[in-house]
Amino acid sequence: MRDVARDPAALERLRVQRSRLADRMRPPWWWWSGVAIVWALAFACPVGSRFLPQGVRIWPILVTGVAVACLLQWGLARATGVAVATPMLRYPSGRPAGIAMIVVSVAALVTETFLIDRGLLVAAIVVAALAVAAEVAGQRAQLQRIRHDLRAGGGPA
Amino acid sequence: MTAKPDPLIHPITRLSICGLLAAGADWVEFAALRDTAGISDSVLSKQSRVLEDAGYVEVRKGAVGRRPRTWFRLTAEGRQAVEGHLAWLAQLEEAVSASTRDVQARLLPGDRDQPRRVLPPLLGSS
């Protein structure tokens, strides 16, 4: 078997291989679409809770959102061959993006509720759409940080 | 973490497998590991078995339909050993590049005294 001592470029080779592994962490189009749908479901809750017909509950929508999110994580691991569990908690470099996503979601939900209370339904829908775009951008930033960690060999904490 | 060589990880194929698993992913699938390491199915099977027997790698087997899927990840013991070995390799690389710089610094272009300085030690004369 070949030995590292006879191959001085071993570490350089490992860097190239890690870079190849990081490049695999590029989600397919359906993942991005799914993420946008999940966030849209989440931000539709304030509007839905006021305007859904009587007898229709909001919690099945939330449960569906969580189920779709889990399916997306599973599908991403299948598609890329690389499973990264709970990126928000385990990847320190992706934490700022994760915290920003939480702040945006709380702020958007509060703003939506505030606007709906004042009868500004269109404005609430615009806020929800902007929040979905911001969350998808946050997710993109988080994945970028994970790719960077994989390249550098940083890894989760 | 202490920088120390690990003879089990030292062969280049196992170094590739362990280095990729230590990069930060939780689990890496067989095909992904094979393609990124640039090795064959049989080599990966054989080397991963060695690493699994040593307690460095954890293997999870499953299936999607009729297609078997195998996932790998480093154990805590394996991660510690890989990190120590990679640190040792980095030190080795640094030492090699430092000595190369030293030799290059001695061999300056346009230095007329160079043969007089460099040749005697090489020829064994003072």
Side-chain angles (χ1 to χ4, degrees), chain B residues 23-118:
Chain B
D26 203 19
W27 291 89
V28 182
E29 207 257 323
F30 186 94
L33 196 56
R34 177 199 61 202
D35 295 345
T36 46
I39 53 180
S40 67
D41 285 8
S42 57
V43 169
L44 178 54
S45 294
K46 193 179 159 191
Q47 300 308 327
S48 63
R49 179 66 62 84
V50 173
L51 292 166
E52 190 188 2
D53 289 345
Y56 283 9
V57 168
E58 193 182 332
V59 181
R60 190 175 69 185
K61 291 188 188 237
V64 179
R66 287 183 179 179
R67 289 173 60 193
R69 292 266 191 160
T70 307
W71 294 80
F72 299 101
R73 84 164 166 194
L74 278 182
T75 59
E77 188 191 350
R79 187 169 294 279
Q80 204 176 359
V82 173
E83 282 171 3
H85 191 77
L86 289 177
W88 173 75
L89 275 178
Q91 280 179 4
L92 197 71
E93 192 183 49
E94 180 55 36
V96 168
S97 57
S99 64
T100 309
R101 275 197 305 270
D102 192 36
V103 168
Q104 279 171 346
R106 271 202 247 161
L107 302 173
L108 293 172
D111 181 3
R112 290 183 178 186
D113 290 336
Q114 193 171 283
R116 220 171 296 154
R117 271 190 301 109
V118 175

Side-chain angles (χ1 to χ4, degrees), chain A residues 1-5 7 10-11 13-15 17-18 20-21 24 77-78 81-83 85 90-91 149-150 153-156, chain B residues 10-12 14-16 19-20 22-29 32 35-38 47 64 69 71 86 89-90 93:
Chain A
M1 189 181 290
R2 284 171 68 198
D3 191 277
V4 178
D7 188 353
L11 276 180
R13 186 194 303 258
L14 187 58
R15 282 179 204 120
Q17 288 168 341
R18 280 181 166 177
R20 239 183 272 160
L21 186 72
R24 288 183 76 100
R78 285 258 168 278
V82 183
R90 295 191 58 194
Y91 284 85
D149 280 355
L150 286 174
Chain B
H10 198 56
I12 204 152
R14 281 184 223 148
L15 178 72
S16 290
L20 285 167
D26 203 19
W27 291 89
V28 182
E29 207 257 323
D35 295 345
T36 46
Q47 300 308 327
V64 179
R69 292 266 191 160
W71 294 80
L86 289 177
L89 275 178
E93 192 183 49

